[in-house]
Amino acid sequence: YSYPFSNVSEYFLNDEYTIANLEMTFSDTRLYSIETFYFRAPAASAQILVEGGIDFVTTANNHTNDFGAVGPKDTAAALDAGGVEYGQIDEAKIVTTPHGLKLGIYCYYDKSFLPKVDKAVAAIEKLKEEGADYIICAFHWGVELKYRPKAEQVEVAHACIDAGADLVYGSHPHCLQPIEEYNGGLILYSMGQLSFGGHSEPSDPDSAIVQVTMKRDVDGTVTHEGYTIIPCCVSSRPVLEDYWGTGYNDYKPTPYVEGTEAYERALSKITGTYQGPDGQANYEAWHAQHG
């Protein structure tokens, strides 16, 4: 269970709190999926998150209900058994870190891949009233393999920061998108994919870890002082073996070596300076193989 995060767990095990997007189901039952892909693992595999140092996952994404009502129920049970906190679709909750920081986290996804501003603002107000020190909106949104967010996403993110959120954390595009500092808040439009078991050769291998440094002022106010970007590859093989060939993904994310071309490429995607063309999500080969 320690294998997938073995090259990055130092960042997760030694920080105050780690948040990620969990885009699959934990269940020991052989379930029928209503979607193209079958993203299910045994319940015991939740131990991967525990041994990897993941403290909280958002399960609010487009694969949440792939297996009907049983999927979320079994996933929640597996996470509870492992002691991993989680947020479900349209859920706002407060979690407390080891040193007493109260994080208010709002998780949201719907089929439009664009959060509803009124729902988000109401959730932010609820978290304020409940005493959250720092508020995070975890949104599953946007378009796959596009390196820039849509204008509508920017509007939603800005509205959330204006309403009192401190950080917006985005997932779904399967690639990195820029970080934006806005009105005292931080917006991570897309963090890409870190450990991705859905493809042996992802078209975009680049990912990143972002570590945010917090401080509590004498009046009790919590703010972020800054952040550090650790550009990563979804696999160890391109980094350690210089292998980009067939089946390059060994599902073990690994930090790129600073200063290398791959490091600079991944960094440019999250700083917003990347000049390459957008990718496309093409599933024809999968359908041809599986009928």
Side-chain angles (χ1 to χ4, degrees), residues 245-266:
T246 303
Y248 78 84
N249 188 12
D250 64 1
Y251 317 106
K252 185 159 63 173
T254 302
Y256 283 124
V257 177
E258 188 171 356
T260 61
E261 181 181 349
Y263 176 97
E264 296 298 337
R265 179 187 63 237

Side-chain angles (χ1 to χ4, degrees), residues 80-180:
D80 285 335
V84 179
E85 297 274 7
Y86 55 91
Q88 298 177 316
I89 293 175
D90 199 25
E91 182 178 18
K93 66 191 301 184
I94 290 181
V95 296
T96 304
T97 73
H99 286 86
L101 182 68
K102 292 184 177 180
L103 297 176
I105 306 176
Y106 174 56
C107 302
Y108 189 82
Y109 156 77
D110 69 26
K111 290 182 179 180
S112 72
F113 290 97
L114 188 69
K116 305 295 187 291
V117 172
D118 57 343
K119 283 193 170 187
V121 170
I124 292 165
E125 289 299 324
K126 172 180 178 287
L127 292 170
K128 284 182 190 176
E129 292 170 3
E130 293 177 354
D133 294 317
Y134 191 89
I135 295 176
I136 300 168
C137 292
F139 292 150
H140 203 72
W141 62 355
V143 182
E144 287 191 32
L145 298 176
K146 302 297 182 184
Y147 292 111
R148 296 288 188 281
K150 298 193 298 183
E152 296 90 339
Q153 290 174 256
V154 176
E155 291 175 5
V156 171
H158 286 186
C160 289
I161 299 296
D162 289 339
D166 298 286
L167 187 146
V168 174
Y169 160 54
S171 57
H172 178 64
H174 292 269
C175 66
L176 295 168
Q177 290 182 351
I179 286 179
E180 181 185 6

Side-chain angles (χ1 to χ4, degrees), residues 41-73:
S45 294
Q47 189 65 22
I48 291 172
L49 302 174
V50 177
E51 296 192 20
I54 309 299
D55 300 297
F56 179 98
V57 292
T58 169
T59 64
N61 54 64
N62 57 306
H63 290 287
T64 299
N65 296 311
D66 283 3
F67 302 100
V70 176
K73 177 177 173 289

